[in-house]
Amino acid sequence: MPHITPGQAYGFFTDTSVCIGCKACEVACKQWNQLEGNAPSFLDGFDNTGRLDAENWRHVQFHDDVPDETLSEGNGKAWLLMSDVCKHCKQASCMEVCPTNAIIRTEFDSVFIQPDVCNGCRNCIAACPYDVIGASHTTGIAQKCTLCYDRLQNDMTPACAKACPTESIKFGPVEELRRTAVERLQTLHAQGVTQASLYGHDEKVYGGLNAFFLLMDKPEKYGLPDERNAVLPSRNNAGGYLTAAVTAVLGVLGGLIALRRRREKVSSEDG
Amino acid sequence: MGDVQHFAGPPDWLWYILAYFFLAGLSGGSYVLATLLRLRGAPGDEPMARIGYYIAFPPMVLAPILLALDLGQPLRFWHMLWNTTPGHPGVNFKYWSPMSIGSWALIVFGAVTTVSFAASLVRDGKLRLPLVTWLDNRPFNVFGSLFGLFIAGYTGVLLSVSNQPVWSDTWALGGLFLASGLAGSAALMLLLTRFRPEARPSAGMLSVSERLYALLELALIAVFALTLIAAGTQGQVFGLPWLVLWLVVLAGLIPGLYGLATERLSPNGAAALRHSLAVPLLVLAGVLALRAAVIFSIQV
Amino acid sequence: MTNHWRDIRHADLILVNGANPAEAHPVGFRWLMRAKLDRGAKIIHADPRFTRTSAVADTYVRIRTGTDVAYFGGLINYILQNRLYHDEYVRWATNAGFVVKEGYAFKDGMFNGYDQEQGVYNTKLWAYETDDEGHARIDLDHPRSVINLLRAHYQRYDPDTVARITGIPREQFLQVARQVGEMGRPDKVMTIVYAVGLTHHTTGVQLIRSGALLQLLLGNMGRPGGGMNAERGHANIQGNTDHAISWDILPGYLRIPAPGQKDIKAYLDESASVKQHPRAVNFFGENYRRYLVSLLKAWYGEAATKDNEFAFDYLPKPAANASWISIFDQALRGKMQGILLSGMTATSIGPDSNQVLQALSNLKWLCVMDPFATTSSEFWRAPGMDPAKIQTEVFMLPATHWIEKDGSFTNSGRWAQWKDQVLPPEGEARHDHWILAELFLRVRDLYETQGGKFPDPVLKMALPYRNPRKPELDEIAQEINGRDLRTGKRLSTFVDLKDDGTTSAGDWIYTGHYPEEGNLTKRRDGVQDPGRNDPTGMGFYPNWAWSWPANRRILYNRASADENGRPWDPERPGIAWENGQWAGDVPDYPPTTGPGPDAPLPFIMTGEGVGRLFSNAVADGPFPEHYEPIESPIANPLHPQVSATPVAFRYDERAGRPNRFGTPADYPYVATSYRLTEHEHYVTQNVEHLVQLQPEAFVEVPAGLAREKGIATGDRVRVSSRRGKLEVRAVVTNRLGPLNVDGRTVYQIGIPIHWGFVGINTGQHWLANALTPFVGDASARTPEYKAFLVDIEKI
Ligand SMILES: Nc1nc2c(c(=O)[nH]1)N[C@H]1C(S)=C(S)[C@@H](COP(=O)(O)OP(=O)(O)OC[C@H]3O[C@@H](n4cnc5c(=O)[nH]c(N)nc54)[C@H](O)[C@@H]3O)O[C@H]1N2
Ligand SMILES: Nc1nc2c(c(=O)[nH]1)N[C@H]1C(S)=C(S)[C@@H](COP(=O)(O)OP(=O)(O)OC[C@H]3O[C@@H](n4cnc5c(=O)[nH]c(N)nc54)[C@H](O)[C@@H]3O)O[C@H]1N2
Ligand code: SF4
Ligand code: SF4
Ligand code: SF4
Ligand code: SF4
Ligand code: SF4
Ligand SMILES: [Mo]
């Protein structure tokens, strides 16, 4: 691959149709980023990680829709396997709400939480529509995928993409990845895999996701809001403040009415 | 229209935040009521106004502590105000982030309540610091009240400005928290007249406002519920076990609504004081329960 | 593998049987994906369970465990009946036309030549009709020609019979058969990928052979994108086999001498193949003596002379089978003093672990060489064991982990790749080869000081290392490569090995990996510059590491081109005769010998010169036949009287102990055991990140059965066989499901193997092998880990 150059947008194209759920990405990420991981616990046998959080910056989802048939089609659609990660949204909800400006956009156009700026208020957790961020019990701060910022700065492919054996995780300049993704989609459609679709490759979702996906089922199946539901937290500012303002006016009015009633009463008693 | 999809994870804002939301509502509400009493009431209302200013202050001392303790890195609470990003030093102020404005509002309101608190002490002859009484003038109280209204209400907006189910499905939370904060403040001030008999003449006013705020709160609960039904998330916040908390919320509205039904807006101060322990506590429990239901139901 | 990992991307169709490469070989799996992505190849995965491989395969076929012979047999029948085989290839490159000697018979499930008493076949009776020179008679139309016998044998495997046995419904089987049938065309090629889902059966060898037969018929052996590809186990299990980790061979697949073979000639008569066709090269058979003598020279040096038959006497000639189960069987019989376990944890891995624990308890001593405490080094702590009753003295020798040493790994594609030491050894850990060297020298001291019955093999062993106590792996690699003893120079090809004692080679197939120019397994000319490093564009990368034999990447590649040396598919050439020489891969053929009707036959290693559709090299039948597993829910529909293979080795019975097999009445469900991506057997129970991914033992339960039993995911269940039990979590899923077998509904239960009572989560003390039967396959004595009967209940 050509050198990784600052000033260009980098990201992932995660093609779930070729993911084999091996979790190499999960482990590679932990290894490189020195994440300890959570205490072992049994969840459903294949996914015992559960979700993205401070200790899991990649998480492989398993959705078992395998039909009870003696012959069935695989092709990534019966047992949905998907390696989830921060989407490095163009319009990032987390970044929008962060009060400390700890979340920045790097020279690689990735969304990065600066560990020594973040104070662990967790506002970003409530904001991220993809349930990506977690608060670390050890560092106290919000943590998530950094797009291997340190590796990129040293011209190295992110650890998860490097480890992925099937190239389900493709790393590269976003522009290039988008072209690859469209081609891949066309191939799949030509092969009759009609339910394959791209998610986040164009601006319809949060202005475009730098880490986008090829999915084999509806986005919500994977915990991804569809286009209509991909909305930013700030949408609620106006309505919220307006209601509060109206309430404030009514509240003050209420107080004034109470005062007036009391004055009336006092004056009637006086009179 | 299909249900709104929510996949955001819980920020684990739990007990500290509940306490803060509760205190912020009472502090802001009390300050506003105190100012109304001082500005638009009779001279006899001044003792009650001072109760309000007294109440407004301690929560603002506790609030930053609670908020800092809730942080993963408490010693970095000041990062809310000052950007420490290398190469980009400067003030952090994001008008579209309620948490960011809230931090500043908290600073300002903290100062305001401190001044008004001290001025009340001076006026009550407990302290000699003439400067603060000079500061604590009417425009100052009006200015402070605006922040009081903000502090009591923005916490709801803060929740809404997210992608959490329930929180972000509604635009009623700011108003709702404010209304309940006002109701709670009225109740709390009534309660404290026990320790300041000379404030009793103002009880009638508070008990009438209590009724009005209960009505306002009820209306906003209805709006809240309707917005959630539209989004399809009502089950999460009104389901079990949270229903129990909502019963407490409603119980907290009963005194006000009952008064409204039976006595309308007749400012019967004596009646208000007759139940002066149990009733205000019930109202305050409702204020707490409301915030608890909204905060906890989507996080645990 | 006959081919290699990277080559899989040339396939049009990939049959995955008895393997779960997405989970067990995730990195190699990329090449299956590349075939799919780059050329639209199809993957058909036949497995009892829908696995992570099935998840990305084009077609998943649910098959009853242990029935792949019926599946492959059905395909063979379909191809023969519909004449879809690659006719030209079959005539030229297989023994289809060889006439089988009279007397051959197959009746009611039995081949001719069965010795009731010994429980073995006399395989010599499965032979060809020969002329005076020992050459086979060839007549394709003869009623006893191989192809005609093959037709007769497999015509019983019609789609309905296949369905009755395997549980794959007729139509669905035909759907697969049609796709496979396409692959007999010269411009198409299919590969079969398999692993221990085929080998872990009492019919293991036959299961694999049936795949090979299919590939020969389709003309896919020797071709890029074709072949019969075993995905091997541990990173270096191929190297292990090459260097004779198996008891029945010497390095380089030379047979272990047998009692009664007094000299080399007697040994060769029994071991080396003889030329059975005038145009057969019979390379192995012809050179057997050179390889043996060179091996003896490597081992015994000066002490191996012409006069003493190159010390042939020194080689052990074991009278008894010494395969894995046999060792523990001997211990059970009380005939074993002690056992040295290195890099292998007997307690966890062997069948019927309760018996294995008993076997260990019978020992005087047990020595474990391992970087970690294992279920063997701690076996007395196994749940239910009473340490007071165990006399065994246990020694733990801390060995370095492979990551702490250099040396080479040989991968499934036979590439030997040198690696460097990554971490320095920890604590007192020593390299295995240093421990063994020390042990050997101390034993030798004992022989020297105290004498012994036959001290020579020990005293005269050559140890040509700078420090015999601490040999370097580099020195050992050179020794394996071998030398010309007159010049002292290392050889660059096994063609130069001699049988007169002037050359040495520790393993002839590795001769050439470390010639005078240096250690070729360190070469890394790869994808940095494909244009230069892969001149053919076929992914051979000849200067990447080194593969045996002779750096050849595809075995039997002469068969990738037709009789005239033209590749069957010019798009995917293996080798081609161009301008008076073979171009492409390193040819599996005399390099300067041209093609043509008079030229040597393509399969140079066999005595026939061709691939064998009929063979007497295996112990359980010249043609693969379907037999039921030892524990099976049904009687064999083909021959109920001979349901399981008559030549499986039933250890308990043979030793006079009662058999520990269950019946379908008591244990109505079929179980199979397997790996998960997240763990490497037992050793990764020490790795935090992996224990987090798979913290607890569980079994996979079909949804239908779970409904019957009221079991939900996460519930604890008890799974029991005649031999033991597990009490673990259940994972309920449709990925396993019911099969209609011979008119009955059969449920299969899945049992991952990875847990034991050592490691991070020690509460997970259940050994999957508590359930498995103590029985071995006829040829290799491989245990039947993959098919047995159990019962299941909720607890
Ligand atoms: N992650 C991981 N990888 C490993 C290992 C590990 O422990 N963990 N071990 C390594 C070793 S030593 C080995 S030998 C290889 C083994 O590699 P594999 O053979 O691929 O591994 P298994 O999981 O034992 O079995 C493969 C599949 O065979 C299926 N199966 C069982 N019985 C039958 C049958 O009769 N017919 C068919 N068609 N399928 C059947 C099982 O359901 C299973 O899915 O893996 C190597 N790779
Ligand atoms: N039921 C059932 N049983 C099975 C199987 C199955 O599918 N089902 N599969 C079978 C198969 S194919 C296999 S290969 C076996 C696997 O069984 P094992 O090979 O016993 O399994 P591992 O856990 O890989 O054990 C290797 C041991 O080697 C140690 N080790 C690693 N490196 C070194 C080294 O350099 N030197 C030394 N001395 N030790 C080292 C590790 O610490 C570990 O304890 O299990 C078999 N058992
Ligand atoms: S996915 Fe979430 S954490 Fe990542 S950039 Fe988008 S909003 Fe932020
Ligand atoms: S937790 Fe850190 S990154 Fe997240 S919003 Fe707060 S300060 Fe910003
Ligand atoms: S890019 Fe780096 S930090 Fe992000 S998931 Fe991959 S390995 Fe982890
Ligand atoms: S490494 Fe690649 S194939 Fe494996 S789980 Fe992650 S994305 Fe899927
Ligand atoms: S564990 Fe090692 S040998 Fe096995 S697939 Fe992974 S990289 Fe390859
Ligand atoms: Mo293995």
Side-chain angles (χ1 to χ4, degrees):
Chain A
M1 206 178 87
H3 292 292
I4 297 170
T5 35
Q8 206 175 353
Y10 285 88
F12 293 125
F13 165 41
T14 303
D15 179 353
T16 70
S17 72
V18 298
C19 175
I20 54 172
C22 69
K23 307 182 194 169
C25 46
E26 262 189 47
V27 177
C29 176
K30 289 204 185 97
Q31 287 284 114
W32 178 259
N33 294 297
Q34 299 181 332
L35 301 173
E36 275 182 20
N38 299 322
S41 73
F42 179 93
L43 298 179
D44 76 358
F46 283 85
D47 176 7
N48 298 307
T49 304
R51 50 171 290 203
L52 291 169
D53 60 24
E55 296 292 325
N56 296 286
W57 300 354
R58 272 263 176 203
H59 164 228
V60 184
Q61 300 181 1
F62 290 74
H63 305 283
D64 180 351
D65 288 338
V66 176
D68 188 355
E69 297 290 343
T70 42
L71 186 131
S72 54
E73 192 182 344
N75 276 330
K77 51 192 186 184
W79 197 6
L80 305 175
L81 309 175
M82 182 263 218
S83 176
D84 199 8
V85 70
C86 170
K87 320 297 178 287
H88 298 278
C89 316
K90 271 266 144 58
Q91 294 156 9
S93 305
C94 59
M95 198 168 160
E96 189 176 75
V97 301
C98 174
T100 64
N101 278 318
I103 308 186
I104 56 164
R105 200 163 275 289
T106 70
E107 63 271 37
F108 306 105
D109 203 34
S110 58
V111 176
F112 177 66
I113 303 180
Q114 304 173 84
D116 41 4
V117 177
C118 168
N119 66 11
C121 72
R122 312 193 293 290
N123 206 7
C124 50
I125 298 179
C128 170
Y130 297 110
D131 191 9
V132 162
I133 310 177
S136 162
H137 298 294
T138 43
T139 61
I141 59 166
Q143 293 182 172
K144 68 159 189 81
C145 163
T146 65
L147 201 75
C148 279
Y149 193 23
D150 50 351
R151 289 177 66 96
L152 298 199
Q153 284 168 325
N154 290 288
D155 199 16
M156 290 157 81
T157 302
C160 53
K162 186 98 186 161
C164 177
T166 60
E167 294 171 46
S168 173
I169 304 175
K170 290 194 178 66
F171 170 80
V174 175
E175 283 311 311
E176 217 169 90
L177 292 176
R178 287 185 177 162
R179 281 196 296 277
T180 315
V182 169
E183 279 165 25
R184 173 74 183 135
L185 184 74
Q186 282 164 353
T187 312
L188 278 172
H189 283 176
Q191 290 172 357
V193 187
T194 47
Q195 69 273 61
S197 66
L198 294 178
Y199 177 87
H201 66 300
D202 55 20
E203 64 292 343
K204 289 192 191 125
V205 176
Y206 293 114
L209 307 179
N210 280 358
F212 61 96
F213 297 83
L214 186 145
L215 303 178
M216 301 302 282
D217 206 327
K218 294 209 190 68
E220 61 261 36
K221 186 93 195 188
Y222 303 89
L224 307 170
D226 61 20
E227 286 165 15
R228 194 171 53 79
N229 285 290
V231 281
L232 286 163
S234 59
R235 72 186 180 283
N236 280 330
N237 266 314
Y241 283 127
L242 197 67
T243 320
V246 169
T247 309
V249 170
L250 292 175
V252 170
L253 268 178
L256 292 173
I257 291 171
L259 280 167
R260 157 150 312 203
R261 293 291 298 176
R262 208 270 319 262
R263 211 175 299 142
E264 278 166 10
K265 188 180 177 212
V266 170
S267 54
S268 72
E269 271 166 7
D270 289 352
Chain B
M1 196 176 103
D3 289 350
V4 178
Q5 300 160 0
H6 284 291
F7 304 104
D12 289 329
W13 288 332
L14 299 172
W15 297 100
Y16 289 121
I17 296 302
L18 173 64
Y20 166 66
F21 279 21
F22 178 68
L23 293 177
L26 294 182
S27 169
S30 306
Y31 198 95
V32 173
L33 288 174
T35 303
L36 279 171
L37 284 165
R38 177 175 284 175
L39 264 60
R40 305 293 299 176
D45 285 331
E46 179 60 19
M48 188 61 108
R50 284 190 205 156
I51 290 185
Y53 292 128
Y54 284 138
I55 294 177
F57 171 69
M60 284 303 108
V61 177
L62 277 176
I65 299 175
L66 291 171
L67 289 178
L69 285 178
D70 187 63
L71 295 177
Q73 286 278 1
L75 293 178
R76 295 191 191 160
F77 63 92
W78 59 277
H79 287 199
M80 296 277 186
L81 310 172
W82 187 257
N83 192 347
T84 59
T85 303
H88 298 274
V91 166
N92 274 332
F93 183 80
K94 292 163 92 166
Y95 64 84
W96 60 93
S97 166
M99 192 178 277
S100 178
I101 336 179
S103 314
W104 286 107
L106 210 56
I107 300 279
V108 175
F109 191 59
V112 167
T113 53
T114 311
V115 169
S116 299
F117 177 80
S120 299
L121 282 176
V122 172
R123 292 188 175 117
D124 279 340
K126 305 263 162 67
L127 184 78
R128 285 180 57 84
L129 199 67
L131 178 72
V132 291
T133 43
W134 175 78
L135 261 178
D136 185 45
N137 56 22
R138 296 184 154 226
F140 181 82
N141 291 153
V142 172
F143 171 78
S145 292
L146 290 177
F147 278 87
L149 288 167
F150 184 86
I151 290 292
Y154 95 96
T155 51
V157 185
L158 185 150
L159 294 186
S160 285
V161 178
S162 70
N163 277 311
Q164 289 293 326
V166 177
W167 296 353
S168 64
D169 295 332
T170 183
W171 26 265
L173 275 180
L176 180 56
F177 281 9
L178 175 55
S180 109
L182 287 166
S185 301
L188 183 58
M189 286 163 76
L190 274 175
L191 184 69
L192 293 184
T193 49
R194 323 183 103 225
F195 306 107
R196 193 156 187 169
E198 70 269 30
R200 285 194 183 152
S202 314
M205 177 273 179
L206 287 177
S207 107
V208 172
S209 17
E210 163 70 36
R211 288 172 206 164
L212 288 168
Y213 295 151
L215 186 65
L216 187 57
E217 188 179 338
L218 186 67
L220 282 159
I221 289 176
V223 176
F224 174 64
L226 286 174
T227 46
L228 295 195
I229 288 168
T233 42
Q234 71 284 5
Q236 207 171 343
V237 71
F238 292 115
L240 279 171
W242 315 112
L243 199 58
V244 180
L245 287 176
W246 286 105
L247 291 178
V248 178
V249 175
L250 291 178
L253 297 179
I254 287 174
L257 295 175
Y258 178 78
L260 198 62
T262 54
E263 303 177 33
R264 303 295 173 80
L265 295 180
S266 142
N268 188 336
L273 291 172
R274 234 180 288 131
H275 336 270
S276 51
L277 191 62
V279 169
L281 284 181
L282 187 61
V283 176
L284 288 172
V287 174
L288 194 62
L290 171 73
R291 286 159 175 76
V294 171
I295 291 177
F296 288 98
S297 64
I298 70 123
Q299 295 192 85
V300 286
Chain C
M1 281 190 178
T2 56
N3 297 38
H4 60 105
W5 282 109
R6 194 182 193 85
D7 179 66
I8 293 174
R9 81 185 214 279
H10 294 123
D12 296 306
L13 184 63
I14 304 171
L15 284 194
V16 185
N17 272 69
N20 183 11
E23 303 196 42
H25 301 85
V27 174
F29 193 72
R30 68 184 296 130
W31 300 112
L32 284 83
M33 279 328 260
R34 284 255 70 88
K36 204 166 138 70
L37 292 172
D38 297 349
R39 58 183 310 123
K42 301 284 183 225
I43 301 177
I44 300 177
H45 185 215
D47 200 297
R49 312 175 299 124
F50 189 105
T51 71
R52 284 175 252 200
T53 300
S54 326
V56 290
D58 293 82
T59 308
Y60 161 73
V61 188
R62 188 185 287 161
I63 188 173
R64 177 164 67 97
T65 174
T67 65
D68 296 71
V69 168
Y71 174 77
F72 284 131
L75 294 172
I76 292 169
N77 181 45
Y78 179 87
I79 279 155
L80 288 172
Q81 298 273 325
N82 297 292
R83 297 202 151 263
L84 295 168
Y85 48 87
H86 189 166
D87 194 48
E88 199 182 333
Y89 183 103
V90 167
R91 285 164 186 271
W92 170 61
T94 76
N95 65 354
F98 285 48
V99 177
V100 172
K101 202 147 113 189
E102 225 178 320
Y104 164 80
F106 176 73
K107 206 162 163 271
D108 299 333
M110 301 294 292
F111 291 96
N112 59 318
Y114 186 64
D115 175 342
Q116 198 75 40
E117 210 156 290
Q118 300 293 316
V120 295
Y121 283 112
N122 178 1
T123 57
K124 292 206 174 101
L125 297 178
W126 307 327
Y128 308 114
E129 264 192 38
T130 45
D131 61 17
D132 304 341
E133 282 170 73
H135 294 157
R137 179 172 159 201
I138 294 176
D139 176 1
L140 204 62
D141 300 322
H142 191 281
R144 278 196 323 279
S145 74
V146 166
I147 191 93
N148 283 331
L149 292 179
L150 191 73
R151 278 205 179 89
H153 190 82
Y154 286 103
Q155 81 184 8
R156 295 168 302 139
Y157 291 74
D158 58 82
D160 290 312
T161 307
V162 171
R164 264 178 82 194
I165 298 173
T166 62
I168 307 168
R170 178 196 161 89
E171 263 319 305
Q172 300 183 346
F173 170 74
L174 285 172
Q175 194 177 320
V176 171
R178 279 189 287 273
Q179 287 187 65
V180 172
E182 291 275 292
M183 298 299 136
R185 283 170 30 197
D187 60 338
K188 292 281 181 191
V189 63
M190 168 178 99
T191 177
I192 296 182
V193 163
Y194 72 96
V196 298
L198 292 193
T199 62
H200 288 165
H201 290 285
T202 44
T203 49
V205 172
Q206 296 290 28
L207 283 161
I208 296 158
R209 245 187 71 70
S210 57
L213 244 67
L214 181 61
Q215 285 295 61
L216 280 173
L217 287 174
L218 293 171
N220 285 334
M221 293 305 284
R223 291 184 56 183
M228 197 54 197
N229 293 306
E231 300 170 329
R232 305 301 313 264
H234 294 83
N236 194 30
I237 207 73
Q238 181 68 51
N240 259 306
T241 341
D242 299 341
H243 296 311
I245 195 81
S246 297
W247 71 279
D248 57 342
I249 50 168
L250 298 171
Y253 302 95
L254 301 169
R255 273 219 215 155
I256 192 95
Q261 295 171 354
K262 293 224 170 352
D263 51 27
I264 293 182
K265 185 176 175 307
Y267 165 76
L268 290 177
D269 284 347
E270 295 288 322
S271 313
S273 55
V274 289
K275 194 166 160 140
Q276 293 179 298
H277 190 289
R279 284 190 288 133
V281 176
N282 190 27
F283 189 85
F284 194 21
E286 299 294 316
N287 292 294
Y288 220 95
R289 189 184 152 89
R290 299 167 188 232
Y291 307 149
L292 180 80
V293 170
S294 297
L295 175 70
L296 291 167
K297 284 302 287 179
W299 283 359
Y300 299 113
E302 300 292 310
T305 62
K306 215 173 208 139
D307 298 336
N308 69 356
E309 281 269 296
F310 301 104
F312 179 72
D313 277 356
Y314 295 179
L315 290 178
K317 299 173 184 66
N321 184 295
S323 62
W324 201 96
I325 318 183
S326 302
I327 294 169
F328 293 86
D329 178 54
Q330 290 298 322
L332 278 172
R333 298 178 191 221
K335 292 190 176 165
M336 194 69 81
Q337 297 265 322
I339 297 184
L340 203 150
L341 295 181
S342 167
M344 182 267 278
T345 174
T347 312
S348 296
I349 78 168
D352 199 348
S353 40
N354 290 322
Q355 283 222 113
V356 172
L357 285 166
Q358 184 54 53
L360 295 178
S361 310
N362 288 359
L363 299 173
K364 259 199 186 139
W365 56 266
L366 170 69
C367 173
V368 176
M369 292 161 58
D370 206 288
F372 291 103
T374 70
T375 51
S376 302
S377 71
E378 313 255 306
F379 82 92
W380 69 90
R381 296 213 177 132
M385 295 292 279
D386 178 2
K389 291 201 184 126
I390 302 171
Q391 299 309 310
T392 319
E393 190 176 355
V394 182
F395 303 92
M396 175 82 197
L397 296 183
T400 50
H401 190 268
W402 52 258
I403 217 158
E404 297 166 326
K405 43 193 171 239
D406 60 354
S408 66
F409 277 162
T410 304
N411 73 9
S412 302
R414 298 165 283 102
W415 300 6
Q417 305 180 91
W418 198 267
K419 65 183 170 41
D420 293 323
Q421 180 190 54
V422 179
L423 298 168
E426 242 175 50
E428 291 178 61
R430 271 196 223 177
H431 297 320
D432 298 82
H433 47 293
W434 291 2
I435 298 177
L436 292 174
E438 181 69 38
L439 209 58
F440 177 81
L441 292 173
R442 290 199 196 183
V443 169
R444 194 165 72 173
D445 280 351
L446 290 177
Y447 271 104
E448 253 163 16
T449 51
Q450 301 177 9
K453 251 193 188 149
F454 186 27
D456 283 359
V458 176
L459 295 182
K460 305 232 162 110
M461 174 72 70
L463 299 172
Y465 314 117
R466 274 183 294 273
N467 178 354
R469 298 207 117 74
K470 295 183 170 182
E472 290 299 328
L473 290 176
D474 183 77
E475 294 175 295
I476 295 174
Q478 297 187 28
E479 185 186 1
I480 287 171
N481 181 84
R483 292 173 194 278
D484 180 330
L485 296 171
R486 290 164 307 188
T487 62
K489 295 252 187 290
R490 288 191 303 275
L491 296 168
S492 50
T493 158
F494 50 71
V495 176
D496 295 338
L497 292 175
K498 300 280 186 321
D499 61 2
D500 60 1
T502 56
T503 60
S504 71
D507 189 338
W508 69 275
I509 57 177
Y510 280 80
T511 299
H513 88 288
Y514 203 148
E516 283 298 310
E517 15 342 343
N519 186 343
L520 302 186
T521 66
K522 290 184 177 171
R523 296 184 297 183
R524 291 294 182 272
D525 294 346
V527 292
Q528 320 88 309
D529 188 353
R532 225 177 75 183
N533 299 336
D534 185 22
T536 61
M538 286 300 293
F540 298 137
Y541 287 96
N543 293 324
W544 176 280
W546 186 88
S547 63
W548 69 260
N551 206 27
R552 182 168 302 134
R553 300 296 154 124
I554 297 180
L555 294 182
Y556 319 125
N557 61 27
R558 173 60 186 89
S560 68
D562 65 14
E563 199 166 1
N564 297 315
R566 285 183 304 254
W568 295 111
D569 180 2
E571 302 292 313
R572 283 171 286 190
I575 59 170
W577 181 253
E578 282 165 13
N579 311 322
Q581 59 176 9
W582 292 101
D585 192 9
V586 176
D588 199 348
Y589 207 59
T592 49
T593 308
D598 302 324
L601 289 172
F603 284 78
I604 63 167
M605 298 297 274
T606 64
E608 294 93 323
V610 289
R612 298 183 190 126
L613 297 167
F614 174 98
S615 165
N616 66 3
V618 286
D620 38 11
F623 293 127
E625 171 67 2
H626 167 70
Y627 293 101
E628 287 294 325
I630 293 296
E631 284 187 347
S632 167
I634 61 163
N636 194 329
L638 293 169
H639 26 75
Q641 300 315 315
V642 185
S643 188
T645 169
V647 287
F649 201 86
R650 297 156 199 247
Y651 279 92
D652 292 321
E653 194 177 304
R654 299 281 180 118
R657 301 182 299 260
N659 268 329
R660 292 152 66 89
F661 303 136
T663 62
D666 298 331
Y667 302 98
Y669 309 110
V670 176
T672 191
S673 61
Y674 48 87
R675 291 146 178 77
L676 299 170
T677 315
E678 293 87 343
H679 280 298
E680 167 75 9
H681 308 128
Y682 313 96
V683 62
T684 50
Q685 291 300 336
N686 299 301
V687 182
E688 204 100 37
H689 279 157
L690 300 178
V691 171
Q692 286 163 356
L693 295 181
Q694 278 300 353
E696 264 191 54
F698 66 87
V699 294
E700 293 187 274
V701 187
L705 177 61
R707 265 195 303 279
E708 273 175 33
K709 303 256 172 186
I711 299 168
T713 293
D715 286 352
R716 294 212 157 262
V717 290
R718 182 178 302 117
V719 181
S720 43
S721 77
R722 174 78 176 71
R723 298 157 290 276
K725 64 169 184 188
L726 316 178
E727 288 174 9
V728 298
R729 303 253 203 189
V731 169
V732 174
T733 174
N734 274 338
R735 287 179 286 98
L736 284 104
L739 285 170
N740 184 331
V741 175
D742 203 20
R744 306 183 28 196
T745 298
V746 170
Y747 279 115
Q748 311 193 81
I749 292 174
I751 303 180
I753 60 173
H754 300 289
W755 288 273
F757 48 89
V758 296
I760 293 169
N761 248 4
T762 44
Q764 295 302 316
H765 60 253
W766 301 102
L767 296 169
N769 275 316
L771 302 176
T772 49
F774 209 66
V775 59
D777 126 273
S779 305
R781 299 280 174 93
T782 302
E784 192 144 66
Y785 292 124
K786 291 275 190 277
F788 47 96
L789 293 178
V790 296
D791 194 9
I792 184 168
E793 58 191 323
K794 188 174 165 174
I795 45 179

